[in-house]
Amino acid sequence: MLDADFFRRWMTVTAASVEREAERLTALDSPIGDADHGSNLQRGFTAVAATLEKEAPDTPGAVLTLAGRQLISTVGGASGPLYGTLLRRTGKALGDAGEVSEEQLAEALRAGVEAVMTLGGAAPGDKTMIDTLVPAVDALGTGFAAARTAAEQGALATTPLQARKGRASYLGERSIGHQDPGATSAALLIAALAEAAGE
């Protein structure tokens, strides 16, 4: 079973990973976005880690809800609301339970991904974070390591796609050949989940 400590660890590992990869995320964002994806997420997840250290919520749902709120209030651009919605909706779906199973986490994360799809209007194949999150959630039933692999493959698979949503969609065919930064950062989030689980 997964407790609040596990979810705090997930967010802390994510913050460290985003910090390490911020320059690469911004480099990916440079040709097809505003060249701020890495710095925006770095600011957001640093704030999440600091807040969780201070407040230490005692249920998995409360950890993710707080993290989501923090991202929405500190991250500019589209990524704050999208990641914030993902974590808040996942947290809400987990409810008030002190511990949750891997199956419950997979179900809750699916609800979170659906909320992001509704908010951003994106579907698989649109060259967004959804291309990473949908296969990751589908694979989560097999285990955290399987979800990480599916997420990484999903992010790589955005390279040949033409963007149909977000800032990159303004470029039309020129967005082809660039790996999507949002799909890449979403893969970091799922890899951090596997790392937090020791996989």
Side-chain angles (χ1 to χ4, degrees):
M1 296 293 280
L2 312 170
D3 60 7
D5 279 346
F6 171 84
F7 284 85
R8 278 199 294 272
R9 195 162 65 245
W10 177 21
M11 292 297 104
T12 307
V13 172
T14 301
S17 181
V18 167
E19 175 117 0
R20 266 197 321 272
E21 298 287 337
E23 284 183 16
R24 182 168 77 100
L25 292 174
T26 292
L28 287 172
D29 195 32
S30 200
I32 59 172
D34 291 328
D36 60 0
H37 188 61
S39 52
N40 279 347
L41 276 191
Q42 186 177 4
R43 186 170 65 250
F45 276 103
T46 299
V48 166
T51 303
L52 288 175
E53 215 167 275
K54 282 203 301 272
E55 298 195 26
D58 56 3
T59 66
V63 171
L64 293 187
T65 304
L66 179 63
R69 269 208 316 269
Q70 194 63 41
L71 287 173
I72 289 169
S73 66
T74 51
V75 181
S79 52
L82 292 169
Y83 273 104
T85 295
L86 175 68
L87 296 179
R88 278 177 63 183
R89 186 68 190 84
T90 302
K92 194 175 163 197
L94 290 173
D96 297 325
E99 292 186 324
V100 297
S101 66
E102 289 182 28
E103 291 74 25
Q104 286 169 313
L105 172 56
E107 277 171 37
L109 205 47
R110 190 176 299 282
V113 172
E114 281 166 6
V116 171
M117 287 166 78
T118 303
L119 176 66
D126 285 345
K127 198 183 182 92
T128 69
M129 64 196 293
I130 296 303
D131 291 306
T132 293
L133 293 171
V134 168
V137 171
D138 288 343
L140 199 49
T142 318
F144 294 114
R148 177 178 56 212
T149 301
E152 286 165 356
Q153 289 170 347
L156 288 172
T158 61
T159 304
L161 299 177
Q162 180 171 331
R164 292 201 288 259
K165 289 288 168 199
R167 186 69 202 269
S169 64
Y170 305 155
L171 294 175
E173 287 184 2
R174 282 179 299 149
S175 65
I176 295 169
H178 297 282
Q179 186 171 321
D180 184 67
T184 308
S185 59
L188 294 180
L189 180 73
I190 302 298
L193 179 61
E195 189 179 326
E199 290 188 21

